Amino acid sequence: MNTMVTGAASFLGRFEGLRERLPGGRTPWVAKLRAEAAESFRAQGLPGRRIEAWHYTDLGVLAQLGFTEALTLADEAPALPPTRAAHRAVFVDGRFAPALSLLPPGAAPLSEALEATEGRLGALAQNLPIVALNTMLFEDGLVLDVPAGVDAGEMELLSFATHAGRAIAFHPRHLIRLGEGAKLTLIDTSLGEAEATYLHNPVYEIAVAEGATLSHIRIQREGRAGFQLSTVLATVQAGGTYDNFTLNAGGRLVRNEIHVALQGPKAACHMNGAQLVAEGQHADTTTFLDHAAPDCPSRQTYKTVLAGRSRGVFQGKILVRQAAQRTDGYQMNQALLLSDDAEINAKPQLEIYADDVKCSHGATVGALDEAQLFYLRARGIPASIARAMLVEAFLTEAIEGVTNPLAQEALSEAISGWWQKEAV
Amino acid sequence: MLKIENLTAEIDGKEILKGITLEVPAGEVHAIMGPNGSGKSTLSYVLSGREGYEITGGTATFNGIDLLAMEPEERAAAGVFLAFQYPVELPGVGNANFLRTALNAIRRARGEVEVDAMQFLKLSRAKIKALQMSEDMLKRNVNVGFSGGEKKRNEVLQMAMLEPKLAILDETDSGLDIDALKVVADGVNAMRGPEFSALVITHYQRLLDHITPDRVHVLMGGRIVKTGGPELALELEAEGYAKVAA
């Protein structure tokens, strides 16, 4: 209990020290928003395991670290992966890096566009402590508008954490809005230097209008001493689609929370993901799908592969409100344990108030199949390659939903990179 | 080529192979016939390196090399191929990718140049045609949704692609209709030559109508109890194991 309070206190202390200097510090609506968030965070603290939603993920380690803010941009541009898409927004230690970025029309860094986001920033925020922490301390982020009817193709969002020699925290706030019938594929990658100790705490507020489609591919490859606590808050209007694919393949402790509300008829959501968790890592995917309108389909497929002493968490809640008749919901989560010391905690939850609903969920946990492994080896395939093939096969169902070629490429690179490093 | 001497093996503390001695010279096809529970499948798994079997005595060498000391993939690279009685389904693994990975792994192990995607396609198409299989089979996941006959044909396709020196066919005839049986037999016969040996393990004589063995061994109670020419298979079919072995 003490560490929890300490952890919250250090963030609150920084807010008190910085509040005037934070972006919008002298803008009344921003200052008010931050003050309210600070109150909320003060009241809730860093969530402890007594809170049901955090039962399987212990932030004790993080609370003890005492993060400070990032200082300045690194002297040298970090080694970033090659550009894949026409446009790219790069953030280094949470701050927009103009020299490394090429923004499309309708995009700006939050640090510049903040004044114009009144009524928008915070509109989707829920009373979640990690979101409050972000609101209290955000400095930058991506503000992106895709106008109605525009197919914006692909864009990259890249976060890179450098080794600062001390623990730093950054809390980017990304505001993404797609107008009616607009389209975008966002390839969203988080990277960090191997030795860097940091907390990356991004919050996404995403609004998908009628008939618009956002495909959001998140590739989390934080450094092995990095922490990521991310929250996606998305709303989808009639006939719109929000697709989220999240690969968790890095970091020391990572939690992705994804909250999607289907607010108009025939709005759709596909949430898929893969978690690759190795020695000493903890990965948590927590989803909350709010069916608030009729005739909405939702699909979730999550696969977790665990090696060494590692821990994986999947929590998935589907809420079907009374108005959401003819909801078609499906959720599956499966785990593959490659070691006896790995642990997976899975908690699916259905809460249904409508009467004409099709909703199913399932979960499996297993090890690599010895018969399959022997079959491959008996054909001359070395054990390590055979294992990799079976792990890849296990992930297939979750990954095949990603159809954009650039996103596919980024994903398969990340997965094979993980395997080469962590192969057991 | 294959020389087994006084081989004993057990599973979960239960002795299954109780001293097998057998030699298959290069270029010969030998049949091992035996009733259920005689140790036929255990012998095939022990020779191909499946885990879970404890070798308690004896030796098995392949061209003079200690087979039992090698990993399964090393045995495959050396030229040993096991056609499975129950081919394993691999959901999420494409048949073409599987075959090419296996072929290139073996080529690498032998110090040969790997085949690229085009060469592989050409090679696999030729083999598929020869086996009267549908090309569609390459696009499907390994053995997933395959009929019994398709699974066995797929085993023969793998054998044809990997070109082993010694093929162990574990009840490849079980569950096959006569057409599939002929395809399988043709596949094996096509490989016969001075550098190819096969150990055809079967319960029934009918596969041996199509693959004529040089020698027939009768396996009962974990031992070879009788050895003879192809006529021994007919005798077993007519008289039954108990009588022939007596």
Side-chain angles (χ1 to χ4, degrees):
Chain A
M1 214 53 195
N2 276 335
T3 55
M4 193 190 87
V5 171
T6 312
S10 100
F11 288 116
L12 286 163
R14 279 186 38 229
F15 171 64
E16 292 307 330
L18 285 172
R19 59 193 305 172
E20 295 277 303
R21 281 175 289 147
L22 285 166
R26 295 172 198 280
T27 308
W29 70 266
V30 179
K32 182 164 174 279
L33 208 61
R34 290 198 195 268
E36 285 167 1
E39 271 323 296
S40 166
F41 186 66
R42 191 187 308 277
Q44 299 186 73
L46 272 179
R49 295 190 56 202
R50 290 181 197 183
I51 298 181
E52 199 194 339
W54 289 86
H55 184 66
Y56 300 111
T57 294
D58 188 349
L59 297 182
V61 193
L62 187 137
Q64 284 164 11
L65 277 169
F67 296 93
T68 61
E69 70 276 18
L71 263 183
T72 47
L73 280 181
D75 291 341
E76 288 175 34
L80 299 178
T83 304
R84 294 178 199 278
H87 297 106
R88 184 184 235 196
V90 177
F91 293 82
V92 176
D93 296 339
R95 291 181 180 135
F96 182 64
L100 302 172
S101 302
L102 181 61
L103 294 182
L110 181 65
S111 47
E112 287 170 21
L114 182 59
E115 301 291 334
T117 64
E118 183 172 8
R120 179 174 173 192
L121 197 156
L124 304 182
Q126 302 173 21
N127 192 26
L128 301 166
I130 300 302
V131 174
L133 175 62
N134 176 287
T135 305
M136 184 170 87
L137 289 168
F138 75 82
E139 289 183 49
D140 215 336
L142 173 69
V143 181
L144 175 65
D145 275 284
V146 183
V150 171
D151 182 347
E154 295 111 357
M155 176 177 177
E156 284 181 86
L157 172 60
L158 206 142
S159 164
F160 191 94
T162 62
H163 180 41
R166 60 196 162 74
I168 59 166
F170 46 95
H171 313 265
R173 186 67 160 249
H174 305 297
L175 307 177
I176 297 162
R177 191 159 62 185
L178 270 71
E180 273 181 43
K183 275 196 175 116
L184 175 69
T185 296
L186 185 67
I187 303 172
D188 173 2
T189 306
S190 308
L191 301 168
E193 288 181 340
E195 327 79 65
T197 302
Y198 60 95
L199 167 64
H200 180 197
N201 167 223
V203 169
Y204 301 77
E205 292 187 75
I206 294 172
V208 177
E210 286 81 358
T213 299
L214 174 61
S215 176
H216 187 187
I217 317 294
R218 298 198 63 221
I219 299 175
Q220 182 279 110
R221 300 174 77 181
E222 304 284 11
R224 282 299 285 273
F227 294 80
Q228 184 183 117
L229 301 174
S230 73
T231 312
V232 170
L233 304 161
T235 57
V236 190
Q237 306 308 320
T241 300
Y242 175 67
D243 288 347
N244 179 302
F245 180 94
T246 302
L247 174 73
N248 255 343
R252 176 171 168 191
L253 181 150
V254 171
R255 167 146 160 151
N256 297 314
E257 259 190 62
I258 308 168
H259 298 250
V260 179
L262 301 175
Q263 295 181 333
K266 295 185 177 166
C269 177
H270 305 103
M271 282 194 251
N272 298 318
Q275 307 197 93
L276 310 176
V277 201
E279 178 67 30
Q281 289 182 302
H282 178 107
D284 173 341
T285 292
T286 293
T287 69
F288 181 72
L289 193 48
D290 179 359
H291 277 268
D295 300 302
C296 294
S298 67
R299 296 281 175 276
Q300 297 182 61
T301 304
Y302 284 92
K303 305 264 186 164
T304 304
V305 179
L306 297 118
R309 271 167 302 171
S310 62
R311 199 162 189 206
V313 179
F314 173 81
Q315 306 184 102
K317 181 171 177 179
I318 302 177
L319 168 65
V320 181
R321 296 182 193 267
Q322 204 169 4
Q325 296 298 345
R326 296 171 303 281
T327 285
D328 178 4
Y330 169 83
Q331 181 195 85
M332 173 58 80
N333 79 89
Q334 298 181 304
L336 180 61
L337 302 173
L338 300 178
S339 106
D340 293 338
D341 301 320
E343 182 183 325
I344 177 81
N345 297 282
K347 193 175 76 179
Q349 268 182 291
L350 294 179
E351 201 177 313
I352 300 175
Y353 296 101
D355 45 26
D356 181 9
V357 165
K358 199 167 84 186
C359 250
S360 62
H361 66 86
T364 66
V365 179
L368 277 184
D369 186 305
E370 283 302 323
Q372 293 182 335
L373 201 55
F374 175 64
Y375 191 63
L376 291 164
R377 296 179 70 190
R379 294 297 173 256
I381 300 171
S384 61
I385 298 175
R387 286 197 193 95
M389 286 174 80
L390 293 177
V391 168
E392 198 181 315
F394 169 76
L395 296 174
T396 301
E397 197 193 340
I399 290 167
E400 65 192 2
V402 177
T403 52
N404 180 283
L406 294 182
Q408 276 176 343
E409 197 182 287
L411 263 183
S412 70
E413 268 180 33
I415 291 170
S416 64
W418 180 80
W419 186 260
Q420 278 158 24
K421 245 177 28 200
E422 310 295 346
V424 280
Chain B
M1 176 148 317
L2 175 68
K3 198 170 176 184
I4 306 171
E5 277 185 77
N6 207 20
L7 183 65
T8 56
E10 57 180 50
I11 182 164
D12 298 332
K14 191 175 169 232
E15 189 168 54
I16 310 282
L17 303 183
K18 299 177 179 170
I20 293 201
T21 299
L22 178 75
E23 187 169 355
V24 185
E28 291 194 7
V29 172
H30 287 204
I32 292 188
M33 299 185 69
N36 288 335
S38 58
K40 299 193 300 293
S41 285
T42 299
L43 178 61
S44 70
Y45 285 142
V46 164
L47 292 179
S48 52
R50 184 166 193 158
E51 282 176 26
Y53 297 88
E54 198 187 339
I55 317 285
T56 48
T59 59
T61 58
F62 179 65
N63 290 330
I65 310 162
D66 179 6
L67 199 56
L68 304 177
M70 298 162 85
E71 296 292 338
E73 56 267 37
E74 293 169 339
R75 302 183 200 203
V80 177
F81 180 91
L82 169 65
F84 282 62
Q85 181 180 4
Y86 303 109
V88 179
E89 297 187 5
L90 303 175
V93 180
N95 215 14
N97 176 35
F98 165 62
L99 277 170
R100 195 174 149 214
T101 306
L103 181 60
N104 280 334
I106 285 179
R107 292 181 71 96
R108 247 191 339 265
R110 292 178 185 164
E112 295 167 6
V113 184
E114 295 184 28
V115 296
D116 64 26
M118 283 309 293
Q119 290 167 318
F120 171 78
L121 204 63
K122 216 172 140 188
L123 187 66
S124 56
R125 276 186 178 152
K127 302 283 188 191
I128 278 179
K129 205 172 164 199
L131 291 168
Q132 302 166 39
M133 289 166 48
S134 145
E135 265 193 36
D136 183 53
M137 215 172 213
L138 281 179
K139 293 181 194 140
R140 292 160 65 182
N141 284 342
V142 179
N143 295 326
V144 178
F146 283 30
S147 69
E150 284 176 323
K151 284 182 181 170
K152 296 302 174 76
R153 282 183 206 222
N154 202 28
E155 293 294 289
V156 176
L157 172 63
Q158 292 164 40
M159 182 177 71
M161 295 288 294
L162 302 179
E163 298 181 329
K165 296 195 185 86
L166 171 71
I168 302 163
L169 284 79
D170 185 8
E171 305 214 19
T172 297
D173 51 337
S174 67
L176 286 194
D177 61 30
I178 188 69
D179 291 339
L181 193 71
K182 266 191 68 75
V183 169
V184 167
D186 289 349
V188 176
N189 289 330
M191 299 195 64
R192 289 183 87 152
E195 292 301 313
F196 176 79
S197 307
L199 202 53
V200 181
I201 296 173
T202 180
H203 191 118
Y204 302 105
Q205 187 264 337
R206 62 176 196 151
L207 179 63
L208 305 178
D209 284 342
H210 303 279
I211 305 173
T212 312
D214 297 292
R215 303 293 285 167
V216 175
H217 308 275
V218 181
L219 180 64
M220 283 181 78
R223 288 191 183 88
I224 304 284
V225 296
K226 194 164 188 174
T227 294
E231 70 288 347
L232 181 56
L234 295 167
E235 207 181 310
L236 281 169
E237 188 80 356
E239 316 257 326
Y241 284 103
K243 197 165 173 197
V244 172

